[in-house]
Amino acid sequence: MFNLILFGPPGSGKGTQSEKIVEKFGLIHLSTGNLLRQEIADETPLGLEAKNFMDKGQLVPDEVVIGMIDSCLEKHAGAKGFLFDGFPRTVAQAEALDKLLTLKKTSIAKVIALDVIEEELVQRLLKRGETSGRSDDTNEAVIRKRFAVYKDETEPVADYYREQEKFEMIQGIGTIDEIFKALSTLIEAEIAHQQSVSAQ
Ligand code: ADP
């Protein structure tokens, strides 16, 4: 299996680029944000619980998202690989993911972060809020709260993967195609590297 994490702050373009990556490389897209919004739309108990946190810009509890990821991994047991988007968002989630993947005799190949400055992110999110129907994108206070949570809880996840020498950062400002090209180059290099290691 070939598993990637697309990392970066809210509004950095993870969703847009993920769709292009999974199409090109044949991976399963696992976006915890999308999964949670689907639970809300379906009015499940999990969705009702998650909505309270999401509307305030807080993280949904680790055990909830980890359980969701676990069942998705089971559901797609035969997959070629996964692209994780918006997950892991805490060090506890990263540790849980490593454990789940080890049980499946696989691991994370690379973590690629999209680098975008905060002022650009706020503008992008407010613009997205005009059309996306996402209530967490229309209120600037909620957006600022999500950045604060990102700095406190999610940025340490970057160090977790730096220590494993899996972390790479690319410029997240430019056209969608330019950024996708940079991502593809990195991913293709990693696939070639894995193939050369497994051929030895
Ligand atoms: P964005 O990255 O633009 O904030 P997402 O769609 O990834 O958007 O997430 C929206 C909200 O869903 C987050 O603010 C958070 O409340 C919740 N959420 C998504 N993924 C996770 C996660 N891995 N852990 C905890 N909460 C999450």
Side-chain angles (χ1 to χ4, degrees):
M1 269 209 238
F2 181 72
N3 305 303
L4 293 172
I5 296 173
L6 195 57
F7 192 80
S12 55
K14 300 186 297 291
T16 306
Q17 296 296 337
S18 289
E19 282 172 25
K20 295 173 76 73
I21 294 170
V22 296
E23 193 190 37
K24 177 162 180 175
F25 296 98
L27 306 174
I28 302 278
H29 184 194
L30 284 190
S31 156
T32 41
N34 289 351
L35 291 169
L36 290 166
R37 280 185 288 279
Q38 189 59 50
E39 296 279 343
I40 293 173
D42 294 344
E43 297 181 351
T44 65
L46 191 157
L48 293 177
E49 188 197 350
K51 189 175 184 328
N52 288 320
F53 294 97
M54 292 167 76
D55 284 348
K56 294 187 209 127
Q58 295 169 356
L59 292 183
V60 174
D62 285 337
E63 59 276 16
V64 175
V65 282
I66 292 164
M68 237 171 39
I69 289 287
D70 192 9
S71 51
C72 279
L73 292 178
E74 285 298 323
K75 193 168 133 198
H76 300 281
K80 194 172 144 190
F82 293 92
L83 175 68
F84 297 95
D85 158 11
F87 178 89
R89 247 178 166 90
T90 63
V91 171
Q93 291 179 17
E95 288 169 350
L97 178 61
D98 272 352
K99 283 201 187 113
L100 288 175
L101 294 177
T102 304
L103 285 173
K104 300 192 185 324
K105 305 206 171 1
T106 181
S107 60
I108 293 295
K110 269 259 168 295
V111 179
I112 310 176
L114 295 172
D115 188 23
V116 181
I117 54 163
E118 183 164 328
E119 280 322 302
E120 163 84 13
L121 294 169
V122 176
Q123 294 317 314
R124 285 188 189 179
L125 290 173
L126 286 170
K127 192 152 174 262
R128 181 168 85 184
E130 288 169 10
T131 53
S132 69
R134 278 183 56 171
S135 54
D136 61 344
D137 283 346
T138 48
N139 180 330
E140 189 163 339
V142 173
I143 291 175
R144 297 275 176 203
K145 172 71 185 166
R146 278 153 65 201
F147 288 126
V149 169
Y150 181 80
K151 287 204 180 91
D152 290 347
E153 303 196 48
T154 306
E155 273 183 358
V157 174
D159 286 331
Y160 178 86
Y161 289 108
R162 274 193 193 99
E163 281 164 24
Q164 297 187 14
E165 297 181 357
K166 291 179 175 172
F167 190 82
E168 306 259 3
M169 179 119 64
I170 68 160
Q171 171 70 263
I173 295 182
T175 66
I176 290 173
D177 285 341
E178 279 164 356
I179 298 164
F180 181 57
K181 219 172 151 195
L183 285 167
S184 294
T185 304
L186 263 180
I187 296 168
E188 279 159 0
E190 182 58 25
I191 291 173
H193 171 71
Q194 295 222 338
Q195 282 168 349
S196 75
V197 170
S198 69
Q200 275 169 15

